[in-house]
Amino acid sequence: MNKELILITIKSKGGRLTKVRLAVLDIFIKAGCVISEDEIVKKLAEQKIKPNRSTIYRELAFLCREKIINKTVLAGQEYFELVGDHHHHLICLGCQSIRKVELDHHLEHQEKEIAEKNNFKNINHALEFYGYCQK
């Protein structure tokens, strides 16, 4: 989802484009992968924007409710990322880094096959790889 489409979506739902909301959206767009609430707060502080935690919580709740971002739990921690860029994650158990990994279309074929065999309508899936990076 690109920024223009996100802003149109927010306006169409009656949402305001506050300084904090726009800054949070920019953080998500630049992140390219999952980001934690703590990381968002840190990046806002780097921009000299210091909203209280309840404001951040409300922003994340609003963006989730409007299906602009998704919340996911990886390695026991909550993370958020933009909707629409489907990918999977490599999670290092040593340094706690998380990297985006994209798989070829073979997985999509298997997903459809599994759904058909089990008479199941799949709406989403998640795949994470846990291990150790070279660090």
Side-chain angles (χ1 to χ4, degrees):
M1 193 180 287
N2 67 36
K3 187 172 181 177
E4 286 182 38
L5 185 56
I6 293 170
L7 298 178
I8 290 168
T9 300
I10 291 170
K11 287 179 186 177
S12 72
K13 305 279 184 167
R16 297 181 318 140
L17 299 176
T18 64
K19 180 180 178 179
V20 172
R21 184 168 288 163
L22 290 171
V24 168
L25 287 171
D26 282 339
I27 290 168
F28 277 109
I29 290 166
K30 290 176 185 167
C33 193
V34 294
I35 188 165
S36 70
E37 184 177 337
D38 288 339
E39 291 171 308
I40 293 167
V41 170
K42 181 180 172 186
K43 289 187 182 296
L44 287 172
E46 290 169 1
Q47 299 176 42
K48 309 289 190 246
I49 301 172
K50 297 182 181 179
N52 60 38
R53 286 281 182 163
S54 62
T55 300
I56 299 297
Y57 176 81
R58 284 192 306 272
E59 285 301 325
L60 295 174
F62 171 82
L63 294 172
C64 282
R65 190 172 52 251
E66 299 305 327
K67 295 181 179 28
I68 295 167
I69 64 172
N70 285 324
K71 178 169 69 170
T72 188
V73 177
L74 302 172
Q77 163 120 14
E78 283 186 356
Y79 290 93
F80 302 87
E81 66 185 331
L82 285 176
V83 168
D85 176 25
H86 186 74
H87 59 268
H88 305 284
H89 301 100
L90 299 174
I91 302 164
C92 179
L93 298 171
C95 71
Q96 307 302 310
S97 67
I98 299 174
R99 289 191 338 214
K100 171 167 97 169
V101 63
E102 295 181 26
L103 302 175
D104 62 21
H105 297 290
H106 181 69
L107 183 62
E108 290 175 16
H109 176 71
Q110 284 186 315
E111 182 180 0
K112 287 177 185 174
E113 196 174 280
I114 291 167
E116 287 173 9
K117 283 183 181 177
N118 293 285
N119 196 26
F120 185 78
K121 182 181 179 190
N122 189 31
I123 58 168
N124 195 14
H125 72 266
L127 178 61
E128 285 82 39
F129 298 91
Y130 291 87
Y132 296 93
C133 69
Q134 66 187 47
K135 290 183 198 175

